[in-house]
Amino acid sequence: AKVLVTGANGYIAIWVVRLLLEQGYSVRGTVRSAGKGEYLTEYFGKLGFGDKLEIVVVEDITKEGAFDQAVQGVDAIEHTASPFITSLVNLSDFVDPAVRGTVGVLQSAIKHAPNVKRIVITSSCGAVMAPPPQPTIFSETDWNTSSQMDIDKNGVNADPLSKYRVSKTLAEKAAWEFYEKHKGSIGWELVVINPPFVFGPPIQEITGGPESLNTSLKPFYDILVGDGPKTEKLLSTSNSWVDVRDTALSHILAIQKEAAAGERIIVCGGAYLWQEWFDAANTIQPYPLPNHPPAKGMPGITAPYVIQYNTAKADKLLGIRYKTKAETIRDTLEIFAAKGW
Ligand code: NDP
């Protein structure tokens, strides 16, 4: 079977491509320029998958019919391409590619991909919630209405993630609306995956130093390896996370598991305090970055987990054994070490 992966050069997507190839699928990956495909061709060529991977350029995913060619002949689609960088200024810089890209993939599939059975959209826990004032356990029934309110009240750039969260919310809503409207006349089912912060080994092309890491890994590096703050406030700050390999696996299972059809699924490995990542780092023997021995932080510090997720649905439908903090941080630091950081 052949699977289309959009934004194939991204942090999460390259793992999706890798797991698909390892499981025997053929993959067509889209990138925004030919140059961004070269690393993929080389990386997967070295792993022996050269003849199973095809790269196509989709320069502008907001254009009408952008994916009309790319979807032809595929059996499933994993749509991951969407802006997740904090430097974009305007709300539309996020919303246009997120919404038009998502609806565009679905439209192209209806017109040009008669064999498609599943379409998986990478949404986000940013479409589920914005950080709440009180400790809260969220589930798939929750939708983020606070980020738009934050923008209305405090301006578009007050919280750097609000624009991003709004774009993910609108894109996911648009996907479900489109699906509900066309359900009766199409041969495929929609599955939406909602990850919280994704950490774990980066295998994508990294063109510079740690500052050029993707948005979720950059603070992970800064705090745990770099000069990022190690104050009591930071160490007791909490959130939820999932390993990038588990995130990718959920995308594969989403096209394989019958029961996932038509479902919105939160995939989450658990909650963390930053202190717990320091604790995990201090258990690794030998430590992979001898020039940056791990800080101790403030062992024993406690604070409530403010953002947690009920993962019963993913457990039932996908059944992933999530990586632990110790596994994730060890494998991530090994990649940093291989880069000489
Ligand atoms: P990356 O930045 O590594 O990858 C993003 C991908 O989307 C790249 O291929 C990028 O292409 C592409 N992209 C970005 N902006 C545009 C645009 N305007 N038009 C077309 N393509 C674009 O991020 P991640 O791998 O982390 O993100 C992948 C997906 O996962 C996104 O949908 C994101 O919202 C979602 N997600 C990520 C989480 C995380 O913590 N990392 C958590 C939850 C969801 P290019 O390289 O050319 O810019």
Side-chain angles (χ1 to χ4, degrees):
K2 186 169 215 159
V3 182
L4 177 71
V5 179
T6 69
N9 60 317
Y11 169 54
I12 295 174
I14 187 171
W15 273 109
V16 174
V17 172
R18 180 161 151 181
L19 296 193
L20 285 167
L21 291 169
E22 286 173 355
Q23 292 202 20
Y25 292 92
S26 297
V27 174
R28 180 181 298 147
T30 76
V31 289
R32 288 204 275 180
S33 64
K36 293 190 178 185
E38 281 165 19
Y39 173 88
L40 292 171
T41 306
E42 198 189 312
Y43 179 86
F44 288 110
K46 276 189 199 150
L47 291 180
F49 296 118
D51 54 341
K52 291 275 201 170
L53 174 68
E54 181 194 345
I55 300 293
V56 299
V57 174
V58 175
E59 225 172 77
D60 181 357
I61 68 172
T62 65
K63 275 212 183 120
E64 177 91 31
F67 292 105
D68 282 1
Q69 302 275 328
V71 299
Q72 290 184 26
V74 304
D75 305 284
I77 299 173
E78 312 269 11
H79 177 54
T80 83
S82 203
F84 185 26
I85 37 175
T86 44
S87 55
L88 302 173
V89 175
N90 300 309
L91 183 57
S92 59
D93 296 338
F94 287 90
V95 171
D96 291 356
V99 174
R100 286 195 213 154
T102 300
V103 176
V105 168
L106 303 181
Q107 264 161 350
S108 294
I110 286 197
K111 282 197 210 140
H112 298 286
N115 297 332
V116 162
K117 295 280 177 299
R118 280 287 162 92
I119 302 185
V120 182
I121 308 276
T122 315
S123 185
S124 166
C125 283
V128 173
M129 59 95 234
Q134 302 291 338
T136 309
I137 301 173
F138 296 95
S139 76
E140 286 85 357
T141 59
D142 292 303
W143 281 90
N144 176 2
T145 51
S146 345
S147 292
Q148 184 61 58
M149 280 160 54
D150 172 57
I151 289 176
D152 294 343
K153 198 167 151 221
N154 303 314
V156 77
N157 290 311
D159 179 337
L161 282 182
S162 286
K163 298 179 295 256
Y164 167 71
R165 292 194 178 108
V166 167
S167 77
K168 297 304 284 183
T169 306
L170 293 177
E172 193 192 331
K173 283 213 160 129
W176 286 120
E177 265 165 40
F178 186 98
Y179 179 60
E180 287 306 322
K181 187 166 158 203
H182 295 278
K183 222 170 164 178
S185 59
I186 52 176
W188 48 267
E189 308 275 6
L190 182 68
V191 185
V192 172
I193 300 292
N194 302 72
F197 276 108
V198 179
F199 301 138
I203 56 171
Q204 76 273 23
E205 181 174 33
I206 299 170
T207 48
E211 72 289 343
S212 52
L213 280 167
N214 58 286
T215 298
S216 57
L217 264 196
K218 218 182 301 180
F220 193 86
Y221 178 92
D222 288 344
I223 292 168
L224 290 160
V225 184
D227 302 331
K230 288 144 186 72
T231 55
E232 183 174 351
K233 179 166 188 259
L234 183 280
L235 294 166
S236 57
T237 298
S238 63
N239 211 314
S240 282
W241 71 287
V242 63
D243 188 279
V244 66
R245 293 158 292 184
D246 295 336
T247 310
L249 178 60
S250 73
H251 284 70
I252 317 302
L253 294 171
I255 63 173
Q256 295 172 336
K257 298 275 189 187
E258 194 49 50
E263 298 289 346
R264 175 183 214 217
I265 307 172
I266 293 172
V267 292
C268 174
Y272 66 85
L273 301 179
W274 281 108
Q275 176 62 44
E276 294 170 2
W277 289 108
F278 285 103
D279 296 342
N282 280 286
T283 65
I284 307 173
Q285 294 290 346
Y287 193 68
L289 299 169
N291 298 329
H292 302 278
K296 292 266 181 269
M298 303 173 79
I301 194 173
T302 57
Y305 293 134
V306 178
I307 301 169
Q308 290 186 272
Y309 297 98
N310 178 338
T311 56
K313 196 196 240 187
D315 292 345
K316 181 164 161 237
L317 299 181
L318 306 180
I320 295 169
R321 187 204 71 84
Y322 292 104
K323 300 243 177 321
T324 62
K325 291 188 183 82
E327 291 171 302
T328 296
I329 192 167
R330 180 197 63 206
D331 298 346
T332 307
L333 295 179
E334 266 164 22
I335 302 258
F336 295 164
K339 298 199 173 291
W341 291 353

